[in-house]
């Protein structure tokens, strides 16, 4: 099995409001709710206060207010139509692709559909944090070449932390338990 763990580059900062609004309309959300959400999103401003220094107000063109209840919900609306030619698991800004490869089969290029979606929705993949893992029988090694797009090569790893759980390519718990014990000591 090939698993690809995709990391969004500054996911909540790059949410385009007009794309989210159009997706809400396409989903049939009542216009009164869409207008209400627009009033939450548009004409937002921010500034920085550091010690006695205060910056000027800056108008925001996109992005989601982090720490709000709406942030994750709106992001899930944005990624609702994200699909790929394989199993796809989404949890807010964590997306995992999994492809089961037959013993005598070959791997498809499972990331192309995702890259197309990212371009269409004005989102970016953080290539340095996006990883892939081959889950194979003991001693078999990786049955496929590393994924790449343009000049970006997805690093192949033996373990990875996902939603607080360390997943190992041997599907054993020892790596996770060792991490927890190390943190506890």
């Amino acid at each position: 099995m090939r698993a690809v763990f995709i990391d969004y580059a500054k996911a909540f900062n790059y949410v385009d409001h007009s794309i989210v609004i159009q997706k809400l309309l396409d989903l049939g959300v009542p216009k009164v709710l869409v207008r209400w959400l627009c009033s939450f999103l548009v004409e937002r401003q921010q500034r920085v206060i550091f010690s006695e220094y205060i910056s000027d107000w800056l108008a925001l063109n996109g992005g989601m207010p982090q720490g709000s209840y709406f942030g994750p919900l709106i992001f899930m609306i944005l990624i609702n139509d994200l699909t790929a030619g394989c199993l796809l698991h989404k949890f807010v800004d964590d997306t995992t692709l999994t492809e089961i490869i037959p013993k005598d089969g070959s791997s498809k290029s499972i990331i192309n559909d995702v890259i197309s979606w990212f371009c269409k929705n004005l989102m970016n993949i953080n290539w340095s944090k996006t990883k892939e893992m081959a889950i194979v029988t003991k001693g078999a090694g990786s049955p496929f070449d590393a994924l790449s797009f343009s000049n970006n090569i997805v690093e192949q790893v033996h373990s990875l932390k996902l939603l607080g759980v360390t997943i190992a390519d041997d599907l054993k718990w020892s790596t996770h338990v060792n991490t927890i014990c190390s943190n506890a000591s």
Side-chain angles (χ1 to χ4, degrees), residues 71-107:
L73 176 64
I74 292 170
F75 194 80
M76 287 188 290
I77 291 166
L78 176 70
I79 67 169
N80 183 54
D81 63 346
L82 171 59
T83 59
C86 63
L87 293 172
L88 184 70
H89 313 279
K90 299 179 268 188
F91 184 79
V92 190
D93 64 341
D94 288 314
T95 299
T96 304
L97 308 171
T98 53
E99 176 188 20
I100 299 170
I101 303 166
K103 278 189 176 184
D104 297 332
S106 62
S107 174

Side-chain angles (χ1 to χ4, degrees), residues 50-139:
F50 179 74
S51 191
E52 70 270 4
Y53 302 101
I54 301 174
S55 72
D56 292 332
W57 285 101
L58 175 67
L60 303 175
N61 299 339
M64 294 305 309
Q66 295 183 27
S68 71
Y69 291 109
F70 280 130
L73 176 64
I74 292 170
F75 194 80
M76 287 188 290
I77 291 166
L78 176 70
I79 67 169
N80 183 54
D81 63 346
L82 171 59
T83 59
C86 63
L87 293 172
L88 184 70
H89 313 279
K90 299 179 268 188
F91 184 79
V92 190
D93 64 341
D94 288 314
T95 299
T96 304
L97 308 171
T98 53
E99 176 188 20
I100 299 170
I101 303 166
K103 278 189 176 184
D104 297 332
S106 62
S107 174
K108 299 178 265 176
S109 185
I110 62 174
I111 203 162
N112 288 339
D113 292 340
V114 174
I115 291 170
S116 175
W117 181 92
F118 270 76
C119 293
K120 180 181 172 190
N121 289 277
L122 306 178
M123 298 296 286
N124 298 307
I125 294 176
N126 183 342
W127 292 101
S128 65
K129 290 185 178 179
T130 295
K131 308 294 182 197
E132 96 172 294
M133 183 184 302
I135 301 172
V136 297
T137 56
K138 188 175 181 178

